[in-house]
Amino acid sequence: MKKCTSCLLPETHETIKFNEEGSCNICTGIKFRDNEIDYSKKKIELDNLIAEYKGQGDYDCIIPFSGGKDSTWALYYLMTEYNIKPLVVRFDHGFLRPTLEENVKRCQRKLGFDMINFTPNWKITQKLMLRSFLDKGDFCWHCHTGIFSYPMWISVEKKIPLMFWGEKSSDYTNYYSYDEGEEHNEKRFNRFINLGITAEDMFIRLKGEVDKRELKPYSFPPLDSLKQIKSKSVMLGSYIKWNPKKQSEIISRELGWKGEEVENVPPEYNYEKIECYMQGVRDYIKYIKRGYSRPSHLSAIDLRNKEISKEKAQDNINLYEGKKPQSLKLFLDFVGMTEAEFYKVAISHTISPNEFKMKEDNGKKTKDFSKWSKDGVADRNETKKIIEEWSQDQ
């Protein structure tokens, strides 16, 4: 596969394009960010934005929060820099890790804030995972949509118009360029968050198996409701330069936030994606479909920031990518699939020109693997029937 001459991302990366020198549009965007954006002016814009909303209601803003590095940084930065009173909202996708939960508790007690935690119906989650994996080769539809839609519903319910998310998507993709305004609205939600499947679409795909009300947390609030509260949902990364590695160091020092090993990810990136114990499966599916996974993504960031050499980046890719994760068995039990069925579905979503070749060595268990919940396995007979129907439609 063709790869970017600067960051090594392959041509199967979403939204990627190459210039005549072989460098990708993501790298071009980062150069624009570093050389053309005046973050001192952006900081003034942020000052004015917060001043406009601060003290106008029970809460100054909503901060969607997982407890991972980016949302923890956003919360820490806004509370310490502006002394705001946020309402913190978390969507529990069902696979939160012990270290993550400890970080959240520590952060709560260090900073002091009110928090809403929403955990959706597990039986519905299982159906959504299976359906989105079959149709899109990505079982995380419930997570993608829930994280980005549920806090919006809370903003409407509690009439809190201002909301801060983390980094701009331009740091990783080219759905938006750095000179575009990127706010979290329904257009952005449908553009790349929900995999092209709205909650209404999912209801149809599930063929009436669930009550339509169960899908509300995964839908975007009506425009009229958002206009009524004068919703303003922005990326903090539009105003301050985002650097996950440095920000992780700060929250570790100031809040006691701790990293964790992640399946098939180099240990120096122990700050990355510690929220979910299904992350290894998600990365593995990406490798099957696109021929690369998180080590390539993380190495690309470091290459753009001139923090590692291409040789080191390639070593990380060679050593860690493509190994079957230990968590795969858990995933298969949760959705009721066999391993053969899993590969059939995942490979059917392969992005050309990638061709999946299975590696012989498997990934190792993380030290907290035994603590990952194995409760709530799916009905195998029900899943088998659904997969048979899916196969007939292929």
Side-chain angles (χ1 to χ4, degrees):
M1 290 190 294
K2 182 179 180 181
K3 291 190 174 185
C4 174
T5 54
S6 301
C7 73
L8 302 182
L9 279 182
E11 60 186 302
T12 52
H13 180 68
E14 54 187 332
T15 74
I16 199 167
K17 292 182 180 179
F18 301 101
N19 61 23
E20 292 180 355
E21 289 75 38
S23 186
C24 75
N25 50 353
I26 318 298
C27 288
T28 300
I30 296 297
K31 289 179 181 177
F32 180 89
R33 178 197 72 182
D34 293 344
N35 299 315
E36 302 296 331
I37 297 179
D38 186 342
Y39 280 101
S40 61
K41 291 183 179 179
K42 290 293 183 182
K43 178 64 164 59
I44 294 173
E45 292 179 21
L46 180 59
D47 295 343
N48 294 335
L49 177 64
I50 290 176
E52 179 182 352
Y53 288 89
K54 189 174 181 180
Q56 299 302 306
D58 291 339
Y59 296 95
D60 298 324
C61 66
I62 285 177
I63 299 179
F65 179 76
S66 68
K69 67 184 190 316
D70 294 312
S71 59
T72 301
W73 166 256
L75 180 60
Y76 167 78
Y77 177 84
L78 290 168
M79 290 192 70
T80 56
E81 182 74 11
Y82 293 99
N83 193 32
I84 60 167
K85 181 185 179 184
L87 177 60
V88 174
V89 180
R90 184 169 75 159
F91 179 89
D92 180 348
H93 47 62
F95 307 107
L96 299 174
R97 296 179 66 181
T99 297
L100 185 283
E101 294 288 55
E102 292 168 6
N103 282 338
V104 170
K105 181 66 70 176
R106 199 175 294 113
C107 186
Q108 281 182 301
R109 294 183 176 181
K110 287 269 188 176
L111 291 175
F113 53 81
D114 296 343
M115 176 172 153
I116 291 175
N117 188 83
F118 175 73
T119 305
N121 184 328
W122 173 248
K123 295 297 184 183
I124 304 300
T125 295
Q126 285 178 296
K127 293 179 184 297
L128 296 175
M129 287 169 62
L130 176 60
R131 190 75 256 169
S132 63
F133 180 52
L134 292 174
D135 292 352
K136 291 294 183 176
D138 185 340
F139 66 88
C140 300
W141 183 87
H142 79 286
C143 183
H144 299 317
T145 54
I147 285 173
F148 283 99
S149 59
Y150 182 74
M152 299 298 296
W153 282 107
I154 295 297
S155 73
V156 170
E157 175 188 323
K158 297 191 174 296
K159 297 180 173 58
I160 306 171
L162 183 61
M163 185 175 302
F164 282 104
W165 303 87
E167 73 276 29
K168 285 173 66 72
S169 66
S170 316
D171 285 0
Y172 312 123
T173 64
N174 201 47
Y175 286 108
Y176 290 87
S177 62
Y178 275 100
D179 54 353
E180 284 184 274
E182 182 180 355
E183 295 193 9
H184 181 56
N185 51 29
E186 190 169 17
K187 177 182 177 181
R188 182 180 188 270
F189 186 74
N190 291 332
R191 193 172 188 178
F192 66 94
I193 297 296
N194 68 6
L195 307 178
I197 302 175
T198 65
E200 290 78 13
D201 295 333
M202 184 59 79
F203 178 76
I204 294 171
R205 289 168 187 256
L206 291 174
K207 301 177 181 179
E209 292 178 29
V210 303
D211 189 320
K212 188 174 285 189
R213 293 176 297 176
E214 297 281 6
L215 298 177
K216 180 179 177 180
Y218 312 102
S219 66
F220 208 81
L223 181 59
D224 287 348
S225 299
L226 295 170
K227 282 184 175 180
Q228 190 171 0
I229 66 167
K230 298 180 180 180
S231 174
K232 184 73 172 178
S233 186
V234 301
M235 311 294 134
L236 182 58
S238 295
Y239 304 97
I240 64 173
K241 190 173 180 180
W242 213 258
N243 188 311
K245 184 173 291 187
K246 291 181 180 178
Q247 291 163 191
S248 298
E249 292 171 356
I250 293 172
I251 60 175
S252 294
R253 182 176 65 247
E254 299 298 327
L255 300 177
W257 188 92
K258 295 181 180 180
E260 183 60 277
E261 59 180 333
V262 177
E263 288 186 294
N264 299 331
V265 172
E268 61 265 32
Y269 297 110
N270 68 343
Y271 54 83
E272 176 72 18
K273 289 295 178 186
I274 70 165
E275 301 96 307
C276 178
Y277 62 81
M278 285 290 105
Q279 186 61 48
V281 180
R282 187 183 177 203
D283 287 341
Y284 188 50
I285 293 171
K286 186 171 188 176
Y287 180 82
I288 294 171
K289 291 166 54 178
R290 298 181 181 270
Y292 79 101
S293 61
R294 194 150 300 274
S296 288
H297 164 75
L298 296 171
S299 295
I301 295 172
D302 280 355
L303 284 169
R304 295 181 196 124
N305 291 332
K306 299 179 174 59
E307 294 181 349
I308 60 171
S309 66
K310 285 186 181 179
E311 291 73 22
K312 172 59 175 172
Q314 193 60 60
D315 284 345
N316 283 342
I317 293 167
N318 293 340
L319 285 171
Y320 290 93
E321 283 193 344
K323 296 180 179 181
K324 184 169 70 173
Q326 295 289 329
S327 55
L328 180 59
K329 176 63 168 59
L330 301 183
F331 170 75
L332 297 178
D333 288 342
F334 287 146
V335 295
M337 298 183 81
T338 65
E339 192 166 310
E341 290 168 340
F342 167 82
Y343 282 110
K344 179 181 179 180
V345 174
I347 292 171
S348 75
H349 292 283
T350 300
I351 307 298
S352 180
N354 177 52
E355 295 182 4
F356 172 62
K357 295 180 180 179
M358 188 178 296
K359 292 191 173 182
E360 294 183 2
D361 53 336
N362 297 334
K364 66 182 183 68
K365 291 182 179 179
T366 62
K367 63 183 180 182
D368 65 338
F369 183 85
S370 63
K371 298 179 181 178
W372 298 356
S373 176
K374 301 170 182 60
D375 298 326
V377 299
D379 184 318
R380 169 59 189 157
N381 291 327
E382 181 180 335
T383 297
K384 184 178 179 180
K385 179 181 177 182
I386 293 171
I387 293 175
E388 287 173 352
E389 292 174 353
W390 172 85
S391 297
Q392 291 172 4
D393 292 337
Q394 298 308 297

